PDB file of all heavy atoms in Angstrom:
ATOM      1  N   GLY A 276      -3.517  10.764  24.244  1.00 95.00           N
ATOM      2  CA  GLY A 276      -2.091  10.989  24.131  1.00 95.00           C
ATOM      3  C   GLY A 276      -1.707  12.138  23.211  1.00 95.00           C
ATOM      4  O   GLY A 276      -0.525  12.515  23.208  1.00 95.00           O
ATOM      5  N   VAL A 277      -2.640  12.598  22.379  1.00 97.00           N
ATOM      6  CA  VAL A 277      -2.354  13.723  21.495  1.00 97.00           C
ATOM      7  C   VAL A 277      -2.729  15.008  22.137  1.00 97.00           C
ATOM      8  O   VAL A 277      -3.827  15.150  22.722  1.00 97.00           O
ATOM      9  CB  VAL A 277      -3.097  13.537  20.123  1.00 97.00           C
ATOM     10  CG1 VAL A 277      -2.938  14.804  19.267  1.00 97.00           C
ATOM     11  CG2 VAL A 277      -2.536  12.351  19.380  1.00 97.00           C
ATOM     12  N   VAL A 278      -1.888  16.021  21.994  1.00 97.00           N
ATOM     13  CA  VAL A 278      -2.178  17.369  22.502  1.00 97.00           C
ATOM     14  C   VAL A 278      -2.295  18.286  21.284  1.00 97.00           C
ATOM     15  O   VAL A 278      -1.310  18.499  20.551  1.00 97.00           O
ATOM     16  CB  VAL A 278      -1.043  17.882  23.421  1.00 97.00           C
ATOM     17  CG1 VAL A 278      -1.389  19.297  23.900  1.00 97.00           C
ATOM     18  CG2 VAL A 278      -0.926  16.965  24.621  1.00 97.00           C
ATOM     19  N   ILE A 279      -3.492  18.864  21.042  1.00 97.00           N
ATOM     20  CA  ILE A 279      -3.698  19.699  19.900  1.00 97.00           C
ATOM     21  C   ILE A 279      -4.892  20.594  20.172  1.00 97.00           C
ATOM     22  O   ILE A 279      -5.854  20.172  20.785  1.00 97.00           O
ATOM     23  CB  ILE A 279      -3.902  18.894  18.603  1.00 97.00           C
ATOM     24  CG1 ILE A 279      -4.001  19.803  17.402  1.00 97.00           C
ATOM     25  CG2 ILE A 279      -5.087  17.971  18.723  1.00 97.00           C
ATOM     26  CD1 ILE A 279      -4.048  19.106  16.056  1.00 97.00           C
ATOM     27  N   ASP A 280      -4.808  21.830  19.689  1.00 96.00           N
ATOM     28  CA  ASP A 280      -5.963  22.726  19.668  1.00 96.00           C
ATOM     29  C   ASP A 280      -6.407  22.790  18.193  1.00 96.00           C
ATOM     30  O   ASP A 280      -5.865  23.583  17.412  1.00 96.00           O
ATOM     31  CB  ASP A 280      -5.607  24.107  20.186  1.00 96.00           C
ATOM     32  CG  ASP A 280      -6.760  25.074  20.205  1.00 96.00           C
ATOM     33  OD1 ASP A 280      -7.880  24.705  19.742  1.00 96.00           O
ATOM     34  OD2 ASP A 280      -6.596  26.226  20.626  1.00 96.00           O
ATOM     35  N   ALA A 281      -7.361  21.951  17.869  1.00 96.00           N
ATOM     36  CA  ALA A 281      -7.793  21.841  16.465  1.00 96.00           C
ATOM     37  C   ALA A 281      -8.323  23.161  15.903  1.00 96.00           C
ATOM     38  O   ALA A 281      -8.282  23.365  14.674  1.00 96.00           O
ATOM     39  CB  ALA A 281      -8.813  20.748  16.306  1.00 96.00           C
ATOM     40  N   ALA A 282      -8.814  24.022  16.772  1.00 95.00           N
ATOM     41  CA  ALA A 282      -9.401  25.284  16.308  1.00 95.00           C
ATOM     42  C   ALA A 282      -8.329  26.206  15.689  1.00 95.00           C
ATOM     43  O   ALA A 282      -8.672  27.131  14.948  1.00 95.00           O
ATOM     44  CB  ALA A 282     -10.086  25.984  17.415  1.00 95.00           C
ATOM     45  N   THR A 283      -7.052  25.954  15.968  1.00 96.00           N
ATOM     46  CA  THR A 283      -5.996  26.835  15.417  1.00 96.00           C
ATOM     47  C   THR A 283      -5.552  26.421  14.009  1.00 96.00           C
ATOM     48  O   THR A 283      -4.755  27.110  13.407  1.00 96.00           O
ATOM     49  CB  THR A 283      -4.746  26.784  16.325  1.00 96.00           C
ATOM     50  OG1 THR A 283      -4.180  25.474  16.360  1.00 96.00           O
ATOM     51  CG2 THR A 283      -5.139  27.220  17.754  1.00 96.00           C
ATOM     52  N   VAL A 284      -6.057  25.278  13.490  1.00 97.00           N
ATOM     53  CA  VAL A 284      -5.659  24.824  12.173  1.00 97.00           C
ATOM     54  C   VAL A 284      -6.409  25.640  11.132  1.00 97.00           C
ATOM     55  O   VAL A 284      -7.604  25.504  11.005  1.00 97.00           O
ATOM     56  CB  VAL A 284      -5.894  23.327  12.029  1.00 97.00           C
ATOM     57  CG1 VAL A 284      -5.583  22.873  10.566  1.00 97.00           C
ATOM     58  CG2 VAL A 284      -5.007  22.562  13.020  1.00 97.00           C
ATOM     59  N   GLU A 285      -5.709  26.470  10.371  1.00 97.00           N
ATOM     60  CA  GLU A 285      -6.307  27.375   9.413  1.00 97.00           C
ATOM     61  C   GLU A 285      -5.992  27.020   7.957  1.00 97.00           C
ATOM     62  O   GLU A 285      -6.720  27.387   7.062  1.00 97.00           O
ATOM     63  CB  GLU A 285      -5.874  28.797   9.674  1.00 97.00           C
ATOM     64  CG  GLU A 285      -6.265  29.297  11.077  1.00 97.00           C
ATOM     65  CD  GLU A 285      -5.729  30.741  11.319  1.00 97.00           C
ATOM     66  OE1 GLU A 285      -4.579  30.834  11.777  1.00 97.00           O
ATOM     67  OE2 GLU A 285      -6.441  31.680  11.003  1.00 97.00           O
ATOM     68  N   THR A 286      -4.832  26.383   7.758  1.00 98.00           N
ATOM     69  CA  THR A 286      -4.450  26.076   6.378  1.00 98.00           C
ATOM     70  C   THR A 286      -4.178  24.581   6.261  1.00 98.00           C
ATOM     71  O   THR A 286      -5.017  23.802   6.613  1.00 98.00           O
ATOM     72  CB  THR A 286      -3.218  26.942   5.950  1.00 98.00           C
ATOM     73  OG1 THR A 286      -2.175  26.737   6.873  1.00 98.00           O
ATOM     74  CG2 THR A 286      -3.619  28.427   5.931  1.00 98.00           C
ATOM     75  N   ASN A 287      -3.006  24.224   5.785  1.00 98.00           N
ATOM     76  CA  ASN A 287      -2.744  22.783   5.510  1.00 98.00           C
ATOM     77  C   ASN A 287      -1.693  22.174   6.430  1.00 98.00           C
ATOM     78  O   ASN A 287      -1.201  21.100   6.138  1.00 98.00           O
ATOM     79  CB  ASN A 287      -2.322  22.601   4.039  1.00 98.00           C
ATOM     80  CG  ASN A 287      -0.959  23.200   3.744  1.00 98.00           C
ATOM     81  OD1 ASN A 287      -0.599  24.245   4.242  1.00 98.00           O
ATOM     82  ND2 ASN A 287      -0.224  22.556   2.842  1.00 98.00           N
ATOM     83  N   ILE A 288      -1.305  22.858   7.497  1.00 98.00           N
ATOM     84  CA  ILE A 288      -0.293  22.389   8.410  1.00 98.00           C
ATOM     85  C   ILE A 288      -0.917  22.085   9.767  1.00 98.00           C
ATOM     86  O   ILE A 288      -1.663  22.913  10.309  1.00 98.00           O
ATOM     87  CB  ILE A 288       0.859  23.407   8.583  1.00 98.00           C
ATOM     88  CG1 ILE A 288       1.554  23.692   7.237  1.00 98.00           C
ATOM     89  CG2 ILE A 288       1.847  22.966   9.626  1.00 98.00           C
ATOM     90  CD1 ILE A 288       2.623  24.776   7.298  1.00 98.00           C
ATOM     91  N   VAL A 289      -0.631  20.898  10.260  1.00 98.00           N
ATOM     92  CA  VAL A 289      -1.127  20.458  11.560  1.00 98.00           C
ATOM     93  C   VAL A 289       0.082  20.115  12.426  1.00 98.00           C
ATOM     94  O   VAL A 289       0.872  19.220  12.087  1.00 98.00           O
ATOM     95  CB  VAL A 289      -2.052  19.232  11.414  1.00 98.00           C
ATOM     96  CG1 VAL A 289      -2.535  18.780  12.772  1.00 98.00           C
ATOM     97  CG2 VAL A 289      -3.205  19.509  10.460  1.00 98.00           C
TER      98      VAL A 289
END
Side-chain angles (χ1 to χ4, degrees):
V277 171
V278 178
I279 185 172
D280 181 358
T283 64
V284 174
E285 300 177 272
T286 56
N287 67 324
I288 298 176
V289 180

